Amino acid sequence: FIDLGGVDGLLHITDISWGRINHPEEVLKLDEKVNVVVLDFDDDKKRISLGMKQLTAHPWDSLDKDLQIGSKVKGKIVNVADYGAFLEIIPGVEGLIHVSEMSWSQHLRNPQDFISVGDELEAVVLTIDRDERKMSLGIKQLTEDPWTKQDVLTNYAVGTKHTGIVKNLTNFGLFIELEEGIDGLVHVSDLSWTKKIKHPSEFVKVNDELEVVVMELDVENRRLALSHKHLEENPWDTFETVFTRGSVHKCTVISTNDRGATLELPYGIEGQVTTKNLQKEDGGNAAEGETLDFKVMEFSKDDKRIVLSHTATWKEGAEQPAPAAAPKKKAAKGNTLNKINNESEKSTLGDLDALSALKEKMEGAAAKPAAK
């Protein structure tokens, strides 16, 4: 409050200086004589509003006329908010540095992790409106955009290997930062050749390091398709010769459900078994955690699926694997086509027998006219 000679007037903190102050004592002292201007007078409430900063021109009016978009400025951080920070260039002239303009990285969440009040920084003017007295600034523009660097095409060429930090997990995959501003997507299906992963959290955690290989580079759209499993050759080419139909292997039951169980096979891959094929010689069913002999009933490299049976290893007359003959290969090809066509209903063994008989009948009918 200012004593005007028997009458007090209020000098609000925002009217003391064009610049930011946190407390009047930063500028004023008790019993100090100051010059003020009357801003408002309320005769009914006997209130007088005063101002000090109004005695001088607004700093924006004296701002360097050469200051324009692209100019570099220096100043001090006077406020940090969730959405960005304010840089004071001169008292009363501030510019907003939005959080998205602080780093080329897409994962900067909190400006306080990057900037503190009192920091002296350099920034680039992005927009300036002298009439509205507003200015937006950027820090990341002081360095080159990593996607426009000349070596981006060679550094991230298809087939190159990199190690990055996992920054985000989604239902369909994960995003990994290879360097500041360069992110890539690893689809959930490209995490492992052998494990059926439903969500990336089953495989990695945020901030984990992960080695990847570049599968696709799209500089124009700033996209990188990455893979972890392609660091190694597809082991299913080898598995095809190891897990042949009828071969027996030691497997561990790792989980069970209403339809059967999931097994862990040698080399860390997974296989499936139906409930009826879990039956043991003593009449009970194989339980979670048990390690037993299982016979391969079906192997599909394309679908990365192995179906097994414990019952077939000891019970005479139990369901046995069909030989990998030509008809079986055709059936497998049919299953692939069905999968492409929205996974149409699968053929039963009876259907396959009927189709086979029909085919033989048609071939025989075609052979008779040819003989004549």
Side-chain angles (χ1 to χ4, degrees):
F1 286 90
I2 306 294
D3 183 0
L4 300 176
V7 179
D8 287 344
L10 173 63
L11 177 62
H12 194 271
I13 190 171
T14 57
D15 289 313
I16 294 175
S17 169
W18 290 113
R20 289 180 186 249
I21 59 174
N22 296 315
H23 196 279
E25 66 183 7
E26 296 176 20
V27 178
L28 302 171
K29 297 178 181 178
L30 289 175
D31 298 328
E32 181 183 358
K33 288 185 177 182
V34 294
N35 292 324
V36 293
V37 60
V38 176
L39 301 178
D40 186 44
F41 176 73
D42 190 329
D43 191 29
D44 294 332
K45 296 182 179 180
K46 306 298 180 185
R47 289 181 180 174
I48 301 175
S49 297
L50 305 172
M52 273 182 62
K53 69 181 185 181
Q54 289 79 6
L55 293 169
T56 59
H58 197 290
W60 268 92
D61 297 334
S62 59
L63 193 62
D64 188 349
K65 299 299 182 183
D66 292 332
L67 193 67
Q68 58 187 344
I69 293 173
S71 298
K72 293 181 181 180
V73 295
K74 292 183 179 180
K76 182 174 68 175
I77 298 296
V78 292
N79 187 37
V80 180
D82 292 339
Y83 52 85
F86 290 90
L87 183 72
E88 185 182 64
I89 299 170
I90 58 175
V93 177
E94 298 175 3
L96 171 64
I97 308 172
H98 192 270
V99 63
S100 63
E101 304 299 340
M102 292 181 179
S103 169
W104 290 111
S105 174
Q106 302 298 311
H107 306 285
L108 188 63
R109 301 299 183 196
N110 192 338
Q112 293 179 346
D113 296 337
F114 195 74
I115 287 176
S116 300
V117 172
D119 287 350
E120 294 187 357
L121 302 174
E122 186 177 25
V124 176
V125 177
L126 303 180
T127 65
I128 184 169
D129 187 333
R130 295 177 183 270
D131 295 331
E132 295 291 331
R133 294 171 175 168
K134 292 181 179 180
M135 187 189 309
S136 63
L137 306 170
I139 297 175
K140 71 182 185 182
Q141 288 76 11
L142 294 169
T143 58
E144 187 179 359
D145 180 350
W147 279 100
T148 62
K149 290 181 179 179
Q150 292 184 348
D151 58 3
V152 70
L153 289 173
T154 54
N155 286 350
Y156 298 103
V158 173
T160 55
K161 297 178 182 180
H162 306 271
T163 299
I165 305 296
V166 176
K167 291 294 184 179
N168 190 29
L169 304 179
T170 69
N171 289 332
F172 54 84
L174 61 90
F175 289 93
I176 183 170
E177 187 176 62
L178 302 181
E179 66 171 278
E180 185 178 316
I182 300 287
D183 283 28
L185 170 66
V186 182
H187 193 271
V188 65
S189 64
D190 286 321
L191 288 172
S192 173
W193 287 113
T194 58
K195 302 289 185 182
K196 292 185 177 180
I197 300 168
K198 296 181 179 179
H199 194 276
S201 59
E202 300 171 17
F203 192 81
V204 292
K205 301 188 294 294
V206 172
N207 293 326
D208 280 356
E209 281 193 352
L210 189 68
E211 191 176 0
V212 292
V213 61
V214 177
M215 304 300 291
E216 184 180 344
L217 172 65
D218 184 347
V219 175
E220 185 177 351
N221 292 306
R222 297 170 178 252
R223 290 178 181 173
L224 266 177
L226 307 170
S227 173
H228 176 69
K229 74 179 186 182
H230 283 91
L231 290 167
E232 301 174 349
E233 293 184 7
N234 185 354
W236 285 86
D237 295 335
T238 302
F239 294 161
E240 190 173 24
T241 64
V242 175
F243 299 102
T244 55
R245 288 182 177 88
S247 61
V248 177
H249 307 270
K250 288 285 185 183
C251 307
T252 301
V253 181
I254 56 177
S255 66
T256 59
N257 54 47
D258 294 340
R259 293 174 294 177
T262 299
L263 308 174
E264 182 178 11
L265 283 67
Y267 308 105
I269 63 173
E270 295 180 357
Q272 304 298 318
V273 56
T274 59
T275 302
K276 68 177 182 178
N277 285 308
L278 282 171
Q279 186 179 10
K280 298 191 292 185
E281 198 166 2
D282 62 6
N285 276 2
E288 193 170 319
E290 278 194 86
T291 299
L292 301 167
D293 286 337
F294 283 83
K295 181 178 288 189
V296 176
M297 309 296 288
E298 180 183 339
F299 180 94
S300 174
K301 183 175 73 172
D302 294 334
D303 297 331
K304 297 179 175 59
R305 184 183 63 190
I306 304 177
V307 179
L308 305 101
S309 169
H310 172 67
T311 307
T313 63
W314 61 268
K315 186 176 182 180
E316 291 185 10
E319 179 185 354
Q320 295 295 325
K328 187 64 178 179
K329 288 183 179 178
K330 290 181 181 178
K333 188 181 272 188
N335 285 339
T336 303
L337 291 174
N338 289 340
K339 207 167 193 180
I340 295 172
N341 295 313
N342 299 321
E343 293 192 20
S344 301
E345 186 177 351
K346 292 180 180 178
S347 298
T348 62
L349 288 173
D351 293 332
L352 292 173
D353 291 339
L355 288 170
S356 180
L358 180 60
K359 181 183 176 183
E360 291 176 1
K361 186 175 181 180
M362 292 174 67
E363 288 175 347
K368 287 180 181 179
K372 291 178 183 179

